[in-house]
Amino acid sequence: MIQKQKTSQWTGIKGRIFAWHLDNPLARLPEVLFLGDCRSAVLDEFSHLIRGSEVVLNIGAGTGRFSLAIARKLRSGRVICLDLSEEMLLHLRQKAEREGLKERIQIRHGEASASGLENESVDLVMSNSVFHELSSPEAVLAEMLRVLKPNGWVIISDFRTTRISRLICRSHPGGAHGPFSVHELETLFTQAGLKNVNIYPVRHWLIGVGRK
């Protein structure tokens, strides 16, 4: 039996500091320069899949860097933003209200492998920079597939196995998976039964796309 995660390292004071970091372009500039930014590539994948009425689940939504951009593309759909860090979700809620996106953003505090959503209730599910922190990536991908409708899409972006990404991930608690190779992420997708799998690198990142 898999032990459910009740807390996150991104809570409390660390959560508030990192929420500020994620929302500050100048603070993030060194990270982007060293690692590159996969955001545009992920959003490009979404642009091919979204028509405007979809329900999207973002696991590990953080302060909404991806969620808000996706919500802007929706007309009648919504983005369910799941995260364990209440500090991050507070920033996300405030930004959604400022940008007039409150009706398209649904905040949900919870654990990645136990979202509490109904079976086959979302059209697309995504996660960014979460899987390398997990001790059981398979459990979270299984949860993604449980809530995903038939023929729905999964998009995961995370660290690729490089010297820099390994150094960054050394700060994570023991048991975390760490960065992924193309083969590892592809195996994770195919063993879960995903079809139309496409895994490709963007500098120090990997983007994985698959269909249920």
Side-chain angles (χ1 to χ4, degrees):
M1 181 177 178
I2 296 170
Q3 183 69 32
K4 293 181 180 180
Q5 185 179 352
K6 298 299 182 184
T7 60
S8 166
Q9 62 172 322
W10 307 119
T11 57
I13 293 175
K14 188 173 182 180
R16 290 193 289 274
I17 292 173
F18 199 64
W20 169 85
H21 171 80
L22 289 176
D23 283 345
N24 189 312
L26 291 179
R28 291 193 68 252
L29 185 58
E31 173 190 337
V32 172
L33 290 175
F34 277 105
L35 295 175
D37 194 345
C38 68
R39 183 172 180 267
S40 60
V42 171
L43 294 179
D44 186 57
E45 293 288 350
F46 268 96
S47 70
H48 295 109
L49 301 174
I50 284 181
R51 297 295 177 265
S53 59
E54 291 82 3
V55 175
V56 179
L57 170 62
N58 186 357
I59 289 183
T63 60
R65 190 160 161 264
F66 284 87
S67 298
L68 294 172
I70 295 166
R72 294 184 199 109
K73 298 177 181 291
L74 300 174
R75 296 186 308 275
S76 57
R78 71 185 190 279
V79 184
I80 302 171
C81 303
L82 179 72
D83 206 289
L84 263 179
S85 172
E86 295 187 42
E87 293 81 4
M88 301 270 191
L89 292 175
L90 175 61
H91 276 250
L92 173 50
R93 187 189 304 275
Q94 291 170 343
K95 289 195 295 183
E97 290 175 353
R98 287 197 303 268
E99 296 186 28
L101 295 171
K102 183 179 178 181
E103 299 303 317
R104 282 177 260 173
I105 292 289
Q106 179 182 334
I107 303 295
R108 194 174 185 93
H109 179 245
E111 199 270 323
S113 63
S115 68
L117 298 174
E118 294 183 3
N119 294 344
E120 300 183 357
S121 58
V122 305
D123 299 288
L124 296 97
V125 59
M126 72 158 295
S127 178
N128 175 67
S129 298
V130 171
F131 269 58
H132 72 276
E133 296 186 16
L134 302 173
S135 58
S136 299
E138 301 84 359
V140 176
L141 184 55
E143 175 69 0
M144 288 177 154
L145 295 180
R146 181 187 71 79
V147 302
L148 190 62
K149 295 177 182 178
N151 296 314
W153 290 89
V154 171
I155 300 178
I156 293 174
S157 52
D158 215 310
F159 287 120
R160 181 166 67 94
T161 305
T162 66
R163 181 181 298 178
I164 292 176
S165 64
R166 283 196 295 266
L167 285 173
I168 292 172
C169 293
R170 286 176 64 182
S171 64
H172 293 318
H177 181 280
F180 285 79
S181 67
V182 171
H183 175 71
E184 284 177 315
L185 194 57
E186 184 175 50
T187 299
L188 185 67
F189 274 45
T190 55
Q191 288 186 347
L194 286 165
K195 302 172 288 187
N196 305 108
V197 173
N198 183 24
I199 313 291
Y200 59 94
V202 178
R203 289 193 65 184
H204 295 274
W205 300 89
L206 280 181
I207 296 176
V209 182
R211 191 173 194 175
K212 182 175 177 180

